[in-house]
C-alpha cells in the first residue's frame, strides 16, 4: 500500500510517500523560514501564497524521490486541521483535486494525530497505551494514546504554545524567526540557574500549561536591567527561560503518566528537537522508570510522513473523506 501524505497547515509545505505503515520512501519539506523571518513570525497571507507556489513541485519531488508515479498511489492523506485556514486550504484542495482526477481515495488527517504518531516512523516504537507530549509552534498538549485512532486530550496550553513562547522571547531578544533553535543554542553556553523565572504549575493535578506569566517575567527582567543600564546577559536569560519551560513540560508529562499509570512516554512537535528538553526528559524518565521515545528532529517538525502514517491508520478504520469536507482551524483533538 502506497500513501501520499501532504502537509500545509502552517509554514512548511511537505509531502511524503509511505510504503505500508512505516517505511518512508521519500519526504520533502519546503520551509518558508526565509519569508517570515523579517516579520518575526508567520504571516498567514504570505504563508498560503507560498504554499500555492510550492505545493505542485513538492508533491512531484516526493513522488520522484520514491520512484513512483501517481498511478501507483493507493491513498492520499492530507492535513485537514488545525492550522491557518488559508494554508490548510492549499494542501487540502490540492489533495481533493488529485483524488478526484486520479480516482484515488483521500483522507483528511488531524495534524495532532500526525505529531502523536510520528514516533512510528522510527525503528524503536512504543506500545500502546502511551502518554504523548506534543509541543510545537501552535500547540502544547498532553494526550493519552490508547490506539492509532484513539487519543484523549489530558491537558493543553491556556495561552501561548511552548514554541510560540520561545519565538516571542527570541523576538524580544532581537533574534530571527523561528527563535526556538537560536534560544536553545544560546542557552547551551548560559547558566540555567542565573535568573529565577517562574514556573506556572496552575491548579494541583492540572495537566494544562500556561506560558504567558513566564513571558512577562522575562520582559520585566529585560526592562529592569535596561533601566539600570546593565548589559543583558543574553545567554543566561535564554538558559533560565528554557529551563523554566522544560521543567514544566517534563514534570506535567510525568504527572500525566503517574495519574494514568502509564509507563511509555512519547514526544512530538518541533519543540521536542530542543536538546535540553530531550536530555532532562530522559533523566527524569529514567528516575521514574518510564520508557521514553523521541522521534528524530526531522520527524518532530511538520512533515508529510506523519500525515501519511496517520492517514493509513484512519483509512484502516474505514475512514475516507468526501469532496464536500472542509478544513478546520481548531483541533478536533483539543
Ligand atoms: O512542529 P513545528 O515544526 O511546527 C509548527 O508548529 O509550525 O514547530 C515549530 C516550533 C517553532 O516555534 C520553533 O521555534 C520551535 O518549534 N522549535 C524549537 C526548537 N526547534 C524548533 N523550540 C525550542 N528549541 C528548539 N531546539
Amino acid at each position: 500500500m502506497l500513501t501520499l501524505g501532504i502537509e500545509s497547515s502552517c509554514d512548511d509545505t511537505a509531502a511524503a510517500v509511505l510504503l505500508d505503515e512505516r517505511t518512508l520512501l521519500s519526504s520533502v519539506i519546503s520551509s518558508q523560514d526565509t519569508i517570515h523571518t523579517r516579520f518575526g513570525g508567520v504571516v498567514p497571507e504570505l504563508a498560503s501564497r507560498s504554499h500555492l507556489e510550492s505545493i505542485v513541485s513538492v508533491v512531484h519531488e516526493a513522488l520522484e524521490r520514491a520512484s513512483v508515479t501517481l498511478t501507483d498511489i493507493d491513498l492520499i492523506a492530507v492535513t485537514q486541521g488545525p492550522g491557518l485556514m488559508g494554508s490548510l486550504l492549499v494542501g487540502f484542495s490540492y489533495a481533493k483535486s488529485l483524488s478526484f482526477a486520479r480516482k484515488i481515495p483521500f483522507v483528511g488527517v488531524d495534524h495532532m494525530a500526525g505529531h502523536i504518531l510520528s514516533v512510528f516512523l522510527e525503528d524503536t516504537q512504543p506500545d500502546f497505551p502511551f502518554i504523548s507530549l506534543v509541543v510545537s509552534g501552535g500547540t502544547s498538549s498532553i494526550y493519552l494514546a490508547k490506539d492509532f485512532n484513539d487519543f484523549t486530550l489530558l491537558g493543553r496550553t491556556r495561552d501561548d504554545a511552548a514554541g510560540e513562547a520561545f519565538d516571542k522571547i527570541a523576538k524580544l531578544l532581537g533574534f530571527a524567526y523561528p527563535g526556538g533553535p537560536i534560544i536553545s543554542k544560546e542557552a547551551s553556553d548560559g547558566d540555567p540557574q542565573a535568573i529565577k523565572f517562574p514556573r506556572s504549575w496552575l491548579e494541583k493535578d492540572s495537566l494544562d500549561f500556561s506560558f504567558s506569566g513566564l513571558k512577562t517575567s522575562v520582559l520585566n527582567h529585560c526592562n529592569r536591567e535596561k533601566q539600570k543600564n546593565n548589559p543583558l546577559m543574553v545567554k543566561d536569560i535564554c538558559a533560565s527561560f528554557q529551563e523554566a519551560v522544560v521543567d514544566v513540560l517534563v514534570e506535567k508529562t510525568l504527572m500525566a503518566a503517574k495519574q494514568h499509570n502509564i509507563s511509555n512516554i512519547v514526544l512530538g512537535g518541533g519543540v521536542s528537537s530542543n536538546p535540553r528538553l530531550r536530555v532532562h526528559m530522559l533523566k527524569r524518565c529514567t528516575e521514574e522508570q518510564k520508557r521514553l521515545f523521541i522521534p528524530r528532529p526531522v520527524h518532530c517538525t511538520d512533515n508529510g510522513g506523519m500525515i501519511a502514517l496517520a492517514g493509513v491508520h484512519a483509512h484502516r478504520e474505514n475512514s475516507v473523506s468526501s469532496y464536500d469536507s472542509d478544513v478546520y482551524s481548531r483541533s478536533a483533538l483539543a
Side-chain angles (χ1 to χ4, degrees):
M1 166 129 181
L2 283 176
T3 303
L4 171 65
I6 299 176
E7 153 65 35
S8 73
S9 64
C10 188
D11 60 342
D12 291 311
T13 320
V17 177
L18 186 75
L19 170 66
D20 298 330
E21 288 176 19
R22 52 175 285 195
T23 309
L24 209 47
L25 299 185
S26 67
S27 179
V28 177
I29 303 174
S30 168
S31 163
Q32 299 180 4
D33 285 355
T34 50
I35 295 172
H36 302 291
T37 193
R38 68 193 168 108
F39 301 103
V42 178
V43 182
E45 185 58 33
L46 295 183
S48 49
R49 283 189 214 172
S50 172
H51 283 305
L52 261 183
E53 282 165 12
S54 36
I55 188 95
V56 176
S57 57
V58 166
V59 168
H60 281 191
E61 198 177 328
L63 293 169
E64 213 170 279
R65 283 199 206 169
S67 301
V68 299
T69 66
L70 269 180
T71 321
D72 304 312
I73 296 295
D74 301 297
L75 176 70
I76 298 171
V78 58
T79 307
Q80 189 167 1
L84 301 171
M85 294 299 268
S87 292
L88 287 162
L89 271 170
V90 175
F92 202 65
S93 308
Y94 186 62
K96 271 188 192 174
S97 318
L98 284 181
S99 159
F100 185 74
R102 297 299 188 122
K103 302 196 173 21
I104 307 167
F106 91 101
V107 58
V109 167
D110 192 286
H111 186 75
M112 293 302 117
H115 277 310
I116 296 168
L117 297 177
S118 61
V119 70
F120 291 99
L121 294 170
E122 305 296 342
D123 290 337
T124 314
Q125 307 186 348
D127 294 322
F128 290 103
F130 59 79
I131 292 293
S132 167
L133 171 71
V134 178
V135 267
S136 70
T139 318
S140 298
S141 298
I142 299 178
Y143 296 92
L144 171 60
K146 293 194 200 125
D147 190 11
F148 285 104
N149 295 297
D150 185 352
F151 315 116
T152 306
L153 179 73
L154 303 177
R156 63 197 271 198
T157 183
R158 295 184 185 174
D159 37 62
D160 289 345
E164 196 179 355
F166 269 94
D167 294 337
K168 286 179 177 169
I169 294 304
K171 193 174 176 184
L172 172 76
L173 296 173
F175 297 131
Y177 173 85
I182 306 174
I183 296 243
S184 63
K185 194 160 172 285
E186 292 288 317
S188 61
D189 298 323
D191 175 4
Q193 311 303 333
I195 308 149
K196 294 274 168 282
F197 288 132
R199 274 78 170 146
S200 177
W201 300 109
L202 303 172
E203 306 81 30
K204 189 176 176 292
D205 296 335
S206 170
L207 297 175
D208 280 352
F209 298 106
S210 168
F211 296 109
S212 63
L214 171 60
K215 217 176 53 189
T216 309
S217 180
V218 177
L219 177 66
N220 289 342
H221 171 84
C222 293
N223 287 340
R224 267 197 311 272
E225 292 301 297
K226 279 180 197 159
Q227 274 166 8
K228 289 188 219 158
N229 282 327
N230 290 340
L232 281 187
M233 308 302 275
V234 171
K235 291 181 190 307
D236 287 347
I237 295 173
C238 289
S240 303
F241 161 75
Q242 175 178 267
E243 200 67 7
V245 175
V246 166
D247 267 354
V248 177
L249 293 177
V250 169
E251 292 312 318
K252 294 235 172 197
T253 305
L254 284 165
M255 199 198 294
K258 230 176 247 173
Q259 283 175 9
H260 294 267
N261 197 21
I262 304 287
S263 53
N264 289 336
I265 290 176
V266 173
L267 301 194
V271 181
S272 37
S273 303
N274 182 282
R276 179 65 190 147
L277 174 61
R278 295 168 91 97
V279 166
H280 191 49
M281 187 70 93
L282 183 61
K283 176 176 173 278
R284 290 290 292 117
C285 282
T286 309
E287 283 167 6
E288 300 292 328
Q289 297 180 334
K290 306 286 180 199
R291 290 187 71 205
L292 177 64
F293 301 82
I294 316 179
R296 278 170 285 164
V298 70
H299 294 152
C300 289
T301 194
D302 292 351
N303 66 89
M306 68 182 196
I307 300 304
L309 193 140
V312 169
H313 290 285
H315 185 61
R316 191 151 291 157
E317 298 257 303
N318 293 326
S319 172
V320 180
S321 297
S322 68
Y323 292 123
D324 59 4
S325 56
D326 209 347
V327 297
Y328 50 83
S329 61
R330 314 256 338 214
S331 180
L333 294 174

